[in-house]
Amino acid sequence: MAVKIFGVTVNSHADIAQIKEGETLLTINSNEIVDVLDYRFYQVNRKLVLEIKDKTGCVREVEINKGEYEEIGLEFETYLMDKQHSCRNKCIFCFIDQLPKGMRESLYFKDDDSRLSFLFGNYITLTNITEHEIERIIKMHISPINISVHTTNPELRCKMMNNRFAGDALKYLKRFSDAGITLNCQIVSCPGINDGEELLRTMTDLEALGVSMTAIVPVGLTRFRDGLYPLVPYNRETAAETLDIIEKFGDKCRQKYGRRIFFAGDEFYILAQRKIPEPEFYEDFSALEDGVGMIAYLTDDVRYVLEEYETDCEPNHTVTIACGEGVYPFMKNIMEMINEKFPNIKINTKAIKNNFFGGGINVSGLVTGGDLIAQLRGSNLGDRLIIPSSMLRFENDLFLDDVSVDDVEKELKIPLYAVNNNGQQLVEAVINVKG
């Protein structure tokens, strides 16, 4: 394997060493370079010997002396330096399989890439990993690794993932654990499939492996499930039963290890109509990206910001905040906290029903621009419309249905402001509409 060089940073070590665009990087200190992980790991050293192949096929050695962790200065076509690895499974609960036709192509791509697990926190199933990658993770001590486990029952895992190798792949968990790799795990819990006794078995097995954290989230089902496995959604009773199992097991772990380790997603509390635990329950909030503790974190963060907040003027304007139906009662409570300190601000809190995906989808991150426009058109929204940034793709410009921020602003005739799950940002967005 080798990696083509697409550019060289001006005045960098590579530039001074006369490495050229279009040449190929073969090795660093005799280590073959396949992708970004190899490159980042082996370029750390102070003294480097690079094997470079020029456009004519001639190979030369280039010596570079630099500061530890200092960049060489090579640029590549993609961040990963090769193609992203796609998923080979067809999980019975896969959300991508429940998308309607006609959406942008990138939404249908299923990634299952160990490099993205380390670099960006993506979850992998271990069914798409090679022995070379396993050994490299252990050698480089790449940690943490985020793994979609779902169940530790090998036969059930094969069934749930529609992959006859899915059960055998569980052996890698122990290899990583034995090598001291930190393991963060995720379980998508499906009623009657991998909850109940199966969930208890999985948590027991993961506890024995010494995993760092496991997030358990309820399956999300859209209205686009024709021809797919006949799953049923959680209701108040089944969500409460699953929540009891998770919390009881977490209590046991806290007594044994001083850490809860196993956490239920916020949606379980919403479905079970249970009170969200206090912030201390979530310890270091290690599973926020999985929707675990987001409500408690934001509520506590806003409370702290309001206690410290000082302003020379008394804001007097109107704003609207839109969110998914599930989080609406909690967001309304947060807005009331802000109103207590700034009573002259009128805050409209709007729950957006997810007509686009239908089913039981009620989270803010899956609200579409079309539903936002349809349900807010004609309303007195005031001076600014605030939404969670999770409604938008990474670039903060498009909703899932390809409606743009500009489209929403034009249709609703109001500036749109996207905020992260951050108390300071949210309070500032409500208070400083002219900021």
Side-chain angles (χ1 to χ4, degrees):
M1 295 289 291
V3 184
K4 187 175 181 179
I5 299 165
F6 268 70
V8 178
T9 305
V10 176
N11 295 327
S12 65
H13 292 289
D15 188 25
I16 294 170
Q18 298 185 343
I19 299 175
K20 304 297 182 184
E21 175 186 341
E23 295 187 317
T24 302
L25 173 63
L26 301 177
T27 66
I28 297 179
N29 290 350
S30 300
N31 297 291
E32 183 181 25
I33 304 302
V34 174
D35 57 26
V36 63
L37 292 189
D38 291 326
Y39 180 68
R40 286 181 57 171
F41 185 75
Y42 292 117
Q43 75 156 343
V44 167
N45 295 327
R46 296 176 182 274
K47 295 184 178 182
L48 305 177
V49 178
L50 281 60
E51 272 193 320
I52 302 292
K53 183 168 69 174
D54 67 21
K55 296 178 182 179
T56 68
C58 294
V59 177
R60 72 184 187 279
E61 287 189 349
V62 175
E63 295 186 9
I64 291 177
N65 294 314
K66 64 176 189 61
E68 192 173 13
Y69 300 109
E70 192 177 356
E71 292 286 331
I72 297 173
L74 297 179
E75 300 168 7
F76 304 94
E77 183 178 15
T78 65
Y79 183 76
L80 292 174
M81 296 163 61
D82 71 347
K83 292 183 178 179
Q84 190 173 338
H85 299 165
S86 62
C87 184
R88 296 176 180 175
N89 308 305
K90 192 170 177 58
C91 297
I92 60 175
F93 52 82
C94 180
F95 191 81
I96 294 176
D97 289 341
Q98 302 178 70
L99 295 178
K101 296 180 179 179
M103 302 179 76
R104 63 178 178 272
E105 187 176 349
S106 61
L107 293 176
Y108 300 100
F109 181 81
K110 306 176 187 180
D111 78 77
D112 195 5
D113 199 316
S114 61
R115 299 164 302 181
L116 296 179
S117 176
F118 172 64
L119 296 170
F120 301 117
N122 296 27
Y123 280 87
I124 59 172
T125 66
L126 299 177
T127 61
N128 194 34
I129 197 166
T130 65
E131 183 62 29
H132 168 77
E133 289 176 293
I134 293 289
E135 292 177 353
R136 181 172 68 170
I137 288 170
I138 293 173
K139 177 183 178 181
M140 296 181 179
H141 200 78
I142 294 172
S143 188
I145 293 293
N146 302 311
I147 300 170
S148 291
V149 176
H150 309 312
T151 177
T152 54
N153 179 334
E155 293 78 17
L156 180 58
R157 196 169 196 255
C158 291
K159 173 185 175 181
M160 291 188 70
M161 303 176 77
N162 276 305
N163 185 327
R164 61 192 178 95
F165 302 108
D168 188 55
L170 290 168
K171 65 187 179 186
Y172 299 133
L173 285 169
K174 188 170 190 317
R175 287 182 63 183
F176 288 147
S177 177
D178 289 345
I181 305 297
T182 298
L183 299 176
N184 294 327
C185 300
Q186 181 192 67
I187 297 169
V188 175
S189 188
C190 303
I193 305 293
N194 64 331
D195 57 356
E197 289 300 317
E198 288 291 349
L199 177 59
L200 189 59
R201 167 183 172 161
T202 298
M203 291 192 294
T204 301
D205 290 343
L206 294 179
E207 178 202 356
L209 285 169
V211 302
S212 176
M213 181 280 296
T214 299
I216 300 103
V217 298
V219 63
L221 305 177
T222 78
R223 61 188 174 94
F224 301 101
R225 288 195 58 82
D226 291 346
L228 299 179
Y229 191 93
L231 292 173
V232 296
Y234 275 101
N235 56 35
R236 181 178 180 180
E237 181 181 358
T238 55
E241 291 172 355
T242 302
L243 197 51
D244 287 341
I245 292 172
I246 298 167
E247 287 195 337
K248 183 178 180 181
F249 201 89
D251 289 341
K252 184 185 76 170
C253 289
R254 185 165 178 78
Q255 291 175 356
K256 290 172 66 176
Y257 312 110
R259 298 187 303 113
R260 185 164 294 277
I261 302 175
F262 297 89
F263 298 91
D266 290 2
E267 198 174 353
F268 265 121
Y269 290 93
I270 294 170
L271 290 167
Q273 298 178 30
R274 296 267 185 92
K275 181 182 177 182
I276 296 290
E278 294 299 314
E280 295 76 19
F281 178 90
Y282 296 100
E283 298 167 4
D284 61 354
F285 288 102
S286 58
L288 279 176
E289 293 300 318
D290 299 292
V292 174
M294 291 185 72
I295 294 171
Y297 178 86
L298 183 61
T299 303
D300 190 58
D301 204 23
V302 167
R303 185 181 294 114
Y304 173 79
V305 170
L306 290 175
E307 288 174 355
E308 303 294 322
Y309 203 94
E310 295 182 6
T311 180
D312 296 331
C313 61
E314 184 62 33
N316 187 352
H317 53 257
T318 300
V319 298
T320 297
I321 181 161
C323 60
E325 290 182 301
V327 77
Y328 169 76
F330 307 98
M331 188 58 70
K332 188 171 178 60
N333 177 60
I334 290 172
M335 292 303 110
E336 289 172 354
M337 287 166 51
I338 297 176
N339 249 155
E340 286 181 11
K341 183 149 188 173
F342 299 98
N344 290 335
I345 302 177
K346 182 179 179 182
I347 307 174
N348 304 311
T349 309
K350 301 286 187 179
I352 305 300
K353 180 178 177 60
N354 201 316
N355 293 319
F356 184 89
F357 288 112
I361 303 300
N362 61 10
V363 297
S364 294
L366 295 175
V367 169
T368 62
D371 280 340
L372 201 65
I373 292 170
Q375 294 173 48
L376 295 183
R377 183 185 280 124
S379 301
N380 181 12
L381 304 177
D383 303 288
R384 169 182 283 175
L385 174 60
I386 303 167
I387 63 169
S389 60
S390 59
M391 289 185 187
L392 303 171
R393 69 174 182 174
F394 180 76
E395 292 82 359
N396 267 15
D397 59 344
L398 289 178
F399 292 82
L400 282 169
D401 57 353
D402 279 347
V403 171
S404 70
V405 168
D406 289 343
D407 292 334
V408 173
E409 291 182 330
K410 180 179 179 181
E411 290 291 332
L412 298 181
K413 299 178 176 57
I414 189 172
L416 186 67
Y417 197 91
V419 297
N420 296 323
N421 196 61
N422 177 285
Q424 185 73 40
Q425 283 190 24
L426 181 57
V427 171
E428 290 284 349
V430 171
I431 294 172
N432 296 323
V433 298
K434 297 178 181 179

mmCIF file of all heavy atoms in Angstrom, residues 26-43:
data_model
loop_
_atom_site.group_PDB
_atom_site.id
_atom_site.type_symbol
_atom_site.label_atom_id
_atom_site.label_comp_id
_atom_site.label_asym_id
_atom_site.label_seq_id
_atom_site.Cartn_x
_atom_site.Cartn_y
_atom_site.Cartn_z
ATOM 1 N N LEU A 26 5.540 6.049 0.782
ATOM 2 C CA LEU A 26 5.541 4.594 0.947
ATOM 3 C C LEU A 26 5.659 4.188 2.411
ATOM 4 O O LEU A 26 4.839 3.407 2.912
ATOM 5 C CB LEU A 26 6.687 3.975 0.147
ATOM 6 C CG LEU A 26 6.695 4.233 -1.360
ATOM 7 C CD1 LEU A 26 7.933 3.617 -1.997
ATOM 8 C CD2 LEU A 26 5.433 3.694 -2.013
ATOM 9 N N THR A 27 6.673 4.685 3.086
ATOM 10 C CA THR A 27 6.906 4.307 4.477
ATOM 11 C C THR A 27 7.435 5.488 5.279
ATOM 12 O O THR A 27 7.970 6.450 4.719
ATOM 13 C CB THR A 27 7.937 3.160 4.598
ATOM 14 O OG1 THR A 27 9.223 3.633 4.170
ATOM 15 C CG2 THR A 27 7.534 1.953 3.766
ATOM 16 N N ILE A 28 7.303 5.386 6.601
ATOM 17 C CA ILE A 28 7.961 6.288 7.542
ATOM 18 C C ILE A 28 8.705 5.406 8.540
ATOM 19 O O ILE A 28 8.098 4.560 9.201
ATOM 20 C CB ILE A 28 6.958 7.193 8.277
ATOM 21 C CG1 ILE A 28 6.229 8.121 7.293
ATOM 22 C CG2 ILE A 28 7.669 8.033 9.350
ATOM 23 C CD1 ILE A 28 5.194 9.026 7.943
ATOM 24 N N ASN A 29 10.025 5.593 8.601
ATOM 25 C CA ASN A 29 10.866 4.754 9.474
ATOM 26 C C ASN A 29 10.587 3.271 9.269
ATOM 27 O O ASN A 29 10.435 2.505 10.230
ATOM 28 C CB ASN A 29 10.678 5.145 10.943
ATOM 29 C CG ASN A 29 11.283 6.502 11.263
ATOM 30 O OD1 ASN A 29 12.000 7.085 10.446
ATOM 31 N ND2 ASN A 29 10.991 7.024 12.444
ATOM 32 N N SER A 30 10.510 2.892 7.990
ATOM 33 C CA SER A 30 10.303 1.503 7.548
ATOM 34 C C SER A 30 8.915 0.963 7.846
ATOM 35 O O SER A 30 8.646 -0.220 7.599
ATOM 36 C CB SER A 30 11.352 0.560 8.168
ATOM 37 O OG SER A 30 12.655 0.953 7.797
ATOM 38 N N ASN A 31 8.003 1.792 8.347
ATOM 39 C CA ASN A 31 6.623 1.369 8.613
ATOM 40 C C ASN A 31 5.735 1.763 7.435
ATOM 41 O O ASN A 31 5.698 2.937 7.044
ATOM 42 C CB ASN A 31 6.100 2.022 9.895
ATOM 43 C CG ASN A 31 6.884 1.591 11.114
ATOM 44 O OD1 ASN A 31 6.814 0.443 11.535
ATOM 45 N ND2 ASN A 31 7.657 2.520 11.687
ATOM 46 N N GLU A 32 5.034 0.792 6.873
ATOM 47 C CA GLU A 32 4.169 1.044 5.728
ATOM 48 C C GLU A 32 3.054 2.005 6.109
ATOM 49 O O GLU A 32 2.453 1.896 7.179
ATOM 50 C CB GLU A 32 3.563 -0.285 5.253
ATOM 51 C CG GLU A 32 2.708 -0.163 4.017
ATOM 52 C CD GLU A 32 2.109 -1.499 3.613
ATOM 53 O OE1 GLU A 32 1.951 -2.373 4.495
ATOM 54 O OE2 GLU A 32 1.790 -1.666 2.430
ATOM 55 N N ILE A 33 2.785 2.969 5.230
ATOM 56 C CA ILE A 33 1.737 3.954 5.475
ATOM 57 C C ILE A 33 0.525 3.611 4.607
ATOM 58 O O ILE A 33 0.581 3.635 3.382
ATOM 59 C CB ILE A 33 2.223 5.380 5.164
ATOM 60 C CG1 ILE A 33 3.480 5.693 5.988
ATOM 61 C CG2 ILE A 33 1.121 6.388 5.456
ATOM 62 C CD1 ILE A 33 3.292 5.579 7.486
ATOM 63 N N VAL A 34 -0.570 3.270 5.285
ATOM 64 C CA VAL A 34 -1.789 2.875 4.588
ATOM 65 C C VAL A 34 -2.851 3.971 4.650
ATOM 66 O O VAL A 34 -3.563 4.215 3.690
ATOM 67 C CB VAL A 34 -2.356 1.570 5.195
ATOM 68 C CG1 VAL A 34 -3.705 1.216 4.582
ATOM 69 C CG2 VAL A 34 -1.367 0.427 5.007
ATOM 70 N N ASP A 35 -2.926 4.645 5.796
ATOM 71 C CA ASP A 35 -3.981 5.648 5.973
ATOM 72 C C ASP A 35 -3.595 6.639 7.058
ATOM 73 O O ASP A 35 -2.447 6.671 7.517
ATOM 74 C CB ASP A 35 -5.324 4.977 6.289
ATOM 75 C CG ASP A 35 -5.244 4.096 7.539
ATOM 76 O OD1 ASP A 35 -4.383 4.355 8.400
ATOM 77 O OD2 ASP A 35 -6.028 3.141 7.651
ATOM 78 N N VAL A 36 -4.573 7.425 7.495
ATOM 79 C CA VAL A 36 -4.316 8.524 8.412
ATOM 80 C C VAL A 36 -3.772 8.060 9.768
ATOM 81 O O VAL A 36 -2.958 8.752 10.379
ATOM 82 C CB VAL A 36 -5.603 9.371 8.610
ATOM 83 C CG1 VAL A 36 -6.712 8.564 9.256
ATOM 84 C CG2 VAL A 36 -5.312 10.638 9.410
ATOM 85 N N LEU A 37 -4.223 6.901 10.244
ATOM 86 C CA LEU A 37 -3.736 6.443 11.546
ATOM 87 C C LEU A 37 -2.253 6.118 11.488
ATOM 88 O O LEU A 37 -1.490 6.464 12.399
ATOM 89 C CB LEU A 37 -4.537 5.230 12.013
ATOM 90 C CG LEU A 37 -6.006 5.480 12.360
ATOM 91 C CD1 LEU A 37 -6.603 4.240 13.008
ATOM 92 C CD2 LEU A 37 -6.165 6.670 13.288
ATOM 93 N N ASP A 38 -1.816 5.429 10.423
ATOM 94 C CA ASP A 38 -0.385 5.161 10.261
ATOM 95 C C ASP A 38 0.399 6.471 10.197
ATOM 96 O O ASP A 38 1.429 6.634 10.850
ATOM 97 C CB ASP A 38 -0.135 4.371 8.970
ATOM 98 C CG ASP A 38 -0.670 2.954 9.042
ATOM 99 O OD1 ASP A 38 -0.638 2.361 10.121
ATOM 100 O OD2 ASP A 38 -1.117 2.445 7.998
ATOM 101 N N TYR A 39 -0.075 7.380 9.381
ATOM 102 C CA TYR A 39 0.624 8.648 9.164
ATOM 103 C C TYR A 39 0.751 9.430 10.468
ATOM 104 O O TYR A 39 1.840 9.899 10.835
ATOM 105 C CB TYR A 39 -0.124 9.473 8.120
ATOM 106 C CG TYR A 39 0.500 10.818 7.810
ATOM 107 C CD1 TYR A 39 1.730 10.906 7.167
ATOM 108 C CD2 TYR A 39 -0.148 11.998 8.162
ATOM 109 C CE1 TYR A 39 2.306 12.139 6.877
ATOM 110 C CE2 TYR A 39 0.411 13.232 7.884
ATOM 111 C CZ TYR A 39 1.642 13.295 7.242
ATOM 112 O OH TYR A 39 2.198 14.512 6.970
ATOM 113 N N ARG A 40 -0.354 9.552 11.212
ATOM 114 C CA ARG A 40 -0.325 10.332 12.445
ATOM 115 C C ARG A 40 0.544 9.667 13.510
ATOM 116 O O ARG A 40 1.211 10.339 14.288
ATOM 117 C CB ARG A 40 -1.758 10.519 12.969
ATOM 118 C CG ARG A 40 -2.563 11.524 12.156
ATOM 119 C CD ARG A 40 -3.945 11.712 12.694
ATOM 120 N NE ARG A 40 -3.955 12.132 14.092
ATOM 121 C CZ ARG A 40 -5.049 12.518 14.737
ATOM 122 N NH1 ARG A 40 -6.210 12.541 14.100
ATOM 123 N NH2 ARG A 40 -4.994 12.875 15.990
ATOM 124 N N PHE A 41 0.524 8.343 13.552
ATOM 125 C CA PHE A 41 1.270 7.624 14.580
ATOM 126 C C PHE A 41 2.773 7.680 14.332
ATOM 127 O O PHE A 41 3.554 7.950 15.238
ATOM 128 C CB PHE A 41 0.802 6.167 14.620
ATOM 129 C CG PHE A 41 1.416 5.357 15.726
ATOM 130 C CD1 PHE A 41 0.999 5.516 17.035
ATOM 131 C CD2 PHE A 41 2.414 4.439 15.450
ATOM 132 C CE1 PHE A 41 1.562 4.756 18.065
ATOM 133 C CE2 PHE A 41 2.988 3.681 16.468
ATOM 134 C CZ PHE A 41 2.553 3.838 17.779
ATOM 135 N N TYR A 42 3.172 7.450 13.084
ATOM 136 C CA TYR A 42 4.598 7.316 12.792
ATOM 137 C C TYR A 42 5.296 8.642 12.523
ATOM 138 O O TYR A 42 6.530 8.703 12.536
ATOM 139 C CB TYR A 42 4.810 6.367 11.609
ATOM 140 C CG TYR A 42 4.442 4.943 11.941
ATOM 141 C CD1 TYR A 42 3.412 4.287 11.277
ATOM 142 C CD2 TYR A 42 5.117 4.236 12.943
ATOM 143 C CE1 TYR A 42 3.063 2.978 11.593
ATOM 144 C CE2 TYR A 42 4.782 2.931 13.265
ATOM 145 C CZ TYR A 42 3.753 2.308 12.588
ATOM 146 O OH TYR A 42 3.426 1.025 12.911
ATOM 147 N N GLN A 43 4.555 9.733 12.300
ATOM 148 C CA GLN A 43 5.207 11.020 12.072
ATOM 149 C C GLN A 43 5.535 11.743 13.374
ATOM 150 O O GLN A 43 6.131 12.801 13.369
ATOM 151 C CB GLN A 43 4.336 11.921 11.192
ATOM 152 C CG GLN A 43 3.132 12.525 11.905
ATOM 153 C CD GLN A 43 2.627 13.801 11.270
ATOM 154 O OE1 GLN A 43 3.321 14.444 10.491
ATOM 155 N NE2 GLN A 43 1.401 14.170 11.602
#
